[in-house]
Amino acid sequence: HFEAQYRASGPPQWRIELNADLISAADRKVIASRIFTGSKAATENNMTAIVDSADQAWRDVAAQIVDWSADALARRPAAGASRPGPSR
């Protein structure tokens, strides 16, 4: 979901909310899931400033997703790594 929120006066503020799932290619199970949010107010009430603020808000959310994905994957066991079995 994304929107430019206009107030009574002044430039709008972009608000972004994005739900992301990290899926295992091997078994198509969800590894991790998270909601990312970002916002950025436009500096002026003109098309260039509004588009620039949207771009900055999306870049912020994208950077959050990249960092989260890298962290989630780094915490997973390596493919083919043996997992401890049941104790006997």
Side-chain angles (χ1 to χ4, degrees), residues 44-57:
E44 297 177 49
N45 198 8
N46 63 55
M47 189 60 69
T48 300
I50 293 168
V51 170
D52 286 346
S53 64
D55 183 56
Q56 290 174 9

Side-chain angles (χ1 to χ4, degrees), residues 5-87:
Q5 295 179 330
Y6 285 83
R7 293 164 247 156
S9 64
Q13 173 151 340
W14 279 98
R15 299 190 53 77
I16 298 170
E17 182 175 293
L18 181 77
N19 183 25
D21 292 329
L22 192 57
I23 309 292
S24 168
D27 58 12
R28 299 200 183 274
K29 290 185 180 178
V30 175
I31 298 168
S33 185
R34 183 173 156 195
I35 296 173
F36 297 90
T37 60
S39 64
K40 180 68 178 172
T43 56
E44 297 177 49
N45 198 8
N46 63 55
M47 189 60 69
T48 300
I50 293 168
V51 170
D52 286 346
S53 64
D55 183 56
Q56 290 174 9
W58 279 110
R59 286 175 187 262
D60 178 50
V61 169
Q64 291 176 51
I65 293 170
V66 168
D67 292 344
W68 167 75
S69 299
D71 184 54
L73 291 172
R75 287 182 283 144
R76 277 184 52 93
S82 62
R83 293 186 179 155
S87 11

